[in-house]
């Protein structure tokens, strides 16, 4: 798999978002572990998780524990795999999401993630979402302290606009290596943040990167006009429209690393194939 730069790391150009393995509708343990192993077999070296990826009513950290078990049971080397986790969110019993970015909570969250992942330091620790009730600089300061103590190697932020990105750069300096925002064929309002990350040399990790791509060109929000081009290119190439969508994303910026989710081995294998699918100028011109 081709690689891209994420701070001090070189990772596969397509990562893996492990959230589907732990939230509502999650697969059983055997299939979940097989999915992580399939990602590793396909050359994925960036796995994204969070302490808040668990089903309502469950225990925080389900996904982190699952990823740790899958890595431990893998038959090959895993020391080159970057596990990125996040803190600052939680779940409610009715399925909602909470936001908590105060320094005390973030410290406890990071220390819990350390134990669950079984590592001496978290390779990439990300603030899951700015807390409107906590000054952003205070949340960032907590992450900086964790890095200074050796508990975190690099820092990222998520769900951040350009102002937040610039503020994070000012507070964190070289510790800041990534921004994880939503971006996909269906959601493209993050272009200013994408451009700023390229300008600053920050990795841009789009979550839900396959939004708007359905198996059928006629299904999903936006109507056939929004997706028919992805399906047309896919049919001509003999690949899935999902692969074309990920290859399109990769062509947008040299610092972009998509993290598609998957709950089946065949799905992540297909997504990983996009890392080596280079679209032509003519094909890119067809895509909306």
């Amino acid at each position: 798999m081709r690689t891209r730069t994420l701070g001090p790391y070189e990772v596969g150009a397509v990562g893996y978002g492990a959230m589907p393995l732990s939230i509502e509708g999650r697969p059983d343990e055997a299939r979940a572990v097989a999915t992580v192993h399939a990602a590793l077999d396909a050359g994925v070296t960036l796995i994204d998780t969070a302490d808040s990826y668990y089903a309502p009513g469950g225990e925080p950290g389900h996904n982190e524990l699952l990823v740790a078990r899958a890595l431990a049971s893998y038959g090959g080397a895993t020391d080159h795999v970057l596990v990125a986790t996040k803190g600052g969110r939680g779940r409610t019993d009715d399925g909602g999401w909470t936001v908590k970015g105060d320094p005390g909570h973030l410290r406890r969250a990071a220390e819990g993630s350390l134990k669950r992942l079984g590592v001496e330091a978290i390779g990439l620790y990300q603030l899951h979402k700015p807390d409107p009730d906590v000054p952003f600089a205070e949340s960032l300061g907590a992450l900086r302290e964790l890095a200074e103590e050796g508990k975190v190697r690099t820092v990222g932020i998520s769900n951040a606009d350009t102002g937040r990105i610039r503020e994070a750069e000012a507070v964190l300096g070289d510790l800041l290596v990534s921004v994880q925002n939503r971006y996909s064929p269906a959601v493209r309002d993050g272009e200013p943040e994408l451009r700023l990350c390229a300008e600053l040399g920050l990795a841009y990790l789009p979550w839900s990167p396959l939004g708007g791509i359905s198996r059928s060109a006629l299904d999903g929000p936006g109507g056939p006009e929004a997706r028919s081009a992805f399906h047309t290119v896919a049919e001509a190439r003999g690949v899935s429209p999902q692969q074309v969508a990920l290859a399109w994303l990769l062509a947008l910026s040299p610092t972009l690393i998509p993290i598609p989710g998957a709950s089946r081995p065949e799905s992540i294998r297909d997504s990983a194939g996009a890392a080596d699918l280079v679209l032509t100028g003519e094909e890119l011109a067809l895509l909306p």
Side-chain angles (χ1 to χ4, degrees), residues 8-267:
Y9 309 106
E10 285 293 318
V11 299
V14 173
Y16 171 52
M19 183 177 74
L21 303 182
S22 293
I23 61 169
E24 301 88 323
R26 68 192 185 202
D28 61 29
E29 175 97 0
R31 197 176 90 191
V33 170
T35 302
V36 176
H37 289 178
L40 299 174
D41 288 342
V44 170
T45 57
L46 169 64
I47 298 177
D48 180 78
T49 180
D51 63 352
S52 59
Y53 292 164
Y54 59 95
E59 289 294 323
H62 181 280
N63 200 240
E64 293 172 323
L65 288 168
L66 176 60
V67 168
R69 288 196 297 272
L71 289 172
S73 64
Y74 185 62
T78 59
D79 56 345
H80 62 300
V81 177
L82 173 61
V83 177
T85 192
K86 298 182 287 295
R89 299 208 77 179
R91 302 299 307 272
T92 60
D93 289 344
D94 63 359
W97 295 81
T98 61
V99 180
K100 194 169 185 180
D102 64 275
H105 174 79
L106 291 174
R107 173 172 292 278
R108 292 190 296 273
E111 291 173 348
S113 294
L114 271 171
K115 292 177 182 177
R116 287 186 290 268
L117 293 172
V119 295
E120 294 182 359
I122 298 171
L124 172 59
Y125 194 65
Q126 304 159 97
L127 179 63
H128 207 150
K129 187 175 184 179
D131 186 338
D133 296 325
V134 177
F136 194 51
E138 290 186 12
S139 298
L140 297 173
L143 303 189
R144 185 175 188 87
E145 287 181 5
L146 289 165
E148 290 170 347
E149 294 169 10
K151 296 177 180 179
V152 169
R153 292 197 175 96
T154 60
V155 173
I157 57 175
S158 184
N159 300 297
D161 60 18
T162 56
R164 300 287 199 194
I165 295 171
R166 291 194 181 278
E167 185 175 359
E169 184 196 27
V171 173
L172 297 169
D174 291 342
L175 287 173
L176 180 68
V177 299
S178 66
V179 174
Q180 185 177 145
N181 282 2
R182 190 176 184 183
Y183 199 99
S184 70
V187 179
R188 307 188 194 187
D189 56 2
E191 290 182 3
E193 290 75 24
L194 177 61
R195 290 194 298 270
L196 179 59
C197 284
E199 174 188 326
L200 299 177
L202 301 174
Y204 188 91
L205 314 177
W207 58 269
S208 290
L210 293 175
I213 298 298
S214 61
R215 292 293 173 185
S216 166
L218 300 179
D219 294 338
E225 296 82 5
R227 278 169 308 288
S228 60
F230 287 97
H231 291 76
T232 298
V233 172
E235 290 167 4
R237 282 294 195 101
V239 299
S240 70
Q242 287 74 18
Q243 264 197 36
V244 173
L246 293 172
W248 167 77
L249 283 167
L250 287 167
L252 294 179
S253 168
T255 71
L256 187 149
I257 305 169
I259 47 172
S263 61
R264 298 176 181 275
E266 53 268 32
S267 297

